[in-house]
């Protein structure tokens, strides 16, 4: 585990104020990529016109959770957001999770029918206040079949003028496959807007890396043109893999006391990263981990002798 002191040295070496390629979906590092911009526009437009179901799908690591958090952070004051990050729930558990998000207190004395009635009364009251209730479910491909059906029935709650509940589903492509089956035809027909998040192009990878480095406090290029092409090639344009490879490349460059990541650093990083397009196993990942550690220790020692130890 890298010590706090070594991390500070790593940041100072590149002139960074914070780590630019963390895997945590931090909206401060949101980059307005074309596909994310379009998806956000689809979501806000659909929600503003009162559509019932909206769906956003994409491969693992394409930025669904980041987009989800961006949507919640920018929600207008008249939206009431209910967020469920772990949807592997029974129908009753889903209803209670939703009720809890709306401020209702869970009770063993309330049966399922009473719970549905409480939810309806709550939604009607919020609608009377001019509020728009949005239920957001992340990792929606994990919803059990009967819970998906219970979710559809929840959206039956409506007045003569409007839906009382709108649902946004974020999920992997498996969600599309499930909804394509005959038994989910009713739910599928209620999905009025959908968007698929693709991987980034080479030029989008360039812009993405440049933007995140800039947000972290550095404006000069930290990656050579060859390194940028390697990141795009190995990552297939998937933001999460771009982050992983970029971070490992920076660690290797720091370990060698260099100020820019080159193609060689990225080859080493790719060999140590799962799910990348790299099949040359000439370097065992275990040894790469040792190499990174040794290089970073050497770099720390170099900083120490230069009198820059923090």
């Amino acid at each position: 585990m890298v010590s706090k002191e070594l991390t500070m040295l790593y940041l100072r070496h590149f002139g960074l104020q914070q780590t630019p390629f963390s895997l945590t979906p931090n909206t401060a590092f949101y980059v307005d990529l074309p596909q994310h911009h379009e998806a956000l526009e689809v979501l806000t437009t659909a929600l503003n016109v009162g559509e019932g179901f909206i769906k956003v799908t994409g491969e693992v690591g394409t930025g669904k959770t980041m987009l989800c958090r961006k949507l919640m952070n920018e929600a207008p004051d008249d939206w009431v957001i209910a967020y469920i990050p772990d949807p592997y729930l029974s129908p009753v558990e889903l209803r209670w999770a939703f009720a809890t998000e709306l401020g209702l207190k869970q009770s063993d004395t309330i049966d399922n029918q009473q719970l549905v009635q409480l939810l309806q009364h709550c939604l009607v009251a919020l609608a009377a206040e001019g509020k728009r209730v949005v239920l957001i479910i992340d990792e929606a491909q994990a919803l059990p079949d009967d819970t998906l059906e219970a979710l559809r029935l929840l959206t039956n709650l409506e007045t003569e003028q409007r839906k009382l509940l709108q649902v946004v589903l974020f999920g992997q492509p498996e969600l599309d496959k499930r909804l394509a089956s005959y038994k989910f035809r009713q739910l599928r027909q209620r999905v009025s807007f959908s968007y698929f998040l693709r991987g980034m192009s080479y030029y989008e990878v360039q812009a993405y890396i440049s933007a995140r480095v800039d947000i972290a406090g550095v404006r000069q290029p930290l990656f050579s043109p060859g390194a940028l092409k390697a990141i795009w090639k190995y990552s297939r344009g998937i933001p999460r893999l771009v982050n992983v490879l970029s971070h490992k490349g920076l660690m290797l460059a720091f370990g060698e006391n260099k100020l820019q990541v080159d193609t060689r650093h990225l080859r080493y990083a790719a060999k140590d990263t799962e799910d990348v397009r790299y099949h040359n196993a000439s370097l065992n990942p275990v040894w790469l981990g040792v190499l990174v550690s040794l290089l970073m220790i050497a770099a720390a020692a170099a900083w120490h002798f230069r009198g820059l130890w923090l």
Side-chain angles (χ1 to χ4, degrees), residues 113-166:
Q113 184 177 357
Q114 291 172 322
L115 175 57
V116 173
Q117 291 174 345
L118 279 174
L119 283 171
Q120 184 165 12
H121 292 155
C122 182
L123 292 174
V124 168
L126 288 169
E129 296 174 10
K131 302 292 186 181
R132 187 182 301 277
V133 180
V134 181
L135 172 59
I136 298 176
I137 300 181
D138 205 358
E139 301 294 346
Q141 76 282 347
L143 282 163
D145 287 359
D146 54 351
T147 307
L148 265 174
E149 176 61 13
L151 183 62
R152 182 186 70 81
L153 294 174
L154 267 180
T155 61
N156 285 339
L157 302 176
E158 58 187 3
T159 66
E160 292 183 358
Q161 291 81 28
R162 58 178 285 190
K163 288 282 186 184
L164 293 176
L165 173 65
Q166 295 171 274

Side-chain angles (χ1 to χ4, degrees), residues 233-234 266-268 270-271 273 276-282:
K233 172 186 173 183
Y234 296 140
L266 262 298
R267 285 201 300 269
Y268 287 145
K271 290 174 183 178
T273 305
V276 300
R277 286 179 176 168
Y278 199 99
H279 305 292
N280 185 345
S282 59

Side-chain angles (χ1 to χ4, degrees), residues 196-227:
F196 182 80
L197 289 173
R198 58 174 175 80
M200 294 182 284
S201 69
Y202 167 61
Y203 296 104
E204 288 169 343
V205 167
Q206 280 186 301
Y208 176 83
I209 290 174
S210 176
R212 291 188 72 115
V213 169
D214 183 59
I215 293 169
V218 174
R219 297 202 171 177
Q220 70 265 24
L222 297 183
F223 296 82
S224 71

Side-chain angles (χ1 to χ4, degrees), residues 253-270:
F254 167 65
E256 291 184 346
N257 201 29
K258 294 185 176 181
L259 292 175
Q260 191 175 69
V261 179
D262 59 32
T263 307
R264 180 176 56 87
H265 296 136
L266 262 298
R267 285 201 300 269
Y268 287 145

Side-chain angles (χ1 to χ4, degrees), residues 93-109:
E93 289 171 335
L94 174 70
R95 294 185 189 104
W96 271 120
F98 178 41
T100 302
E101 286 288 295
L102 294 181
L104 300 177
K105 293 183 179 180
Q106 188 164 354
S107 172
D108 294 334
T109 62

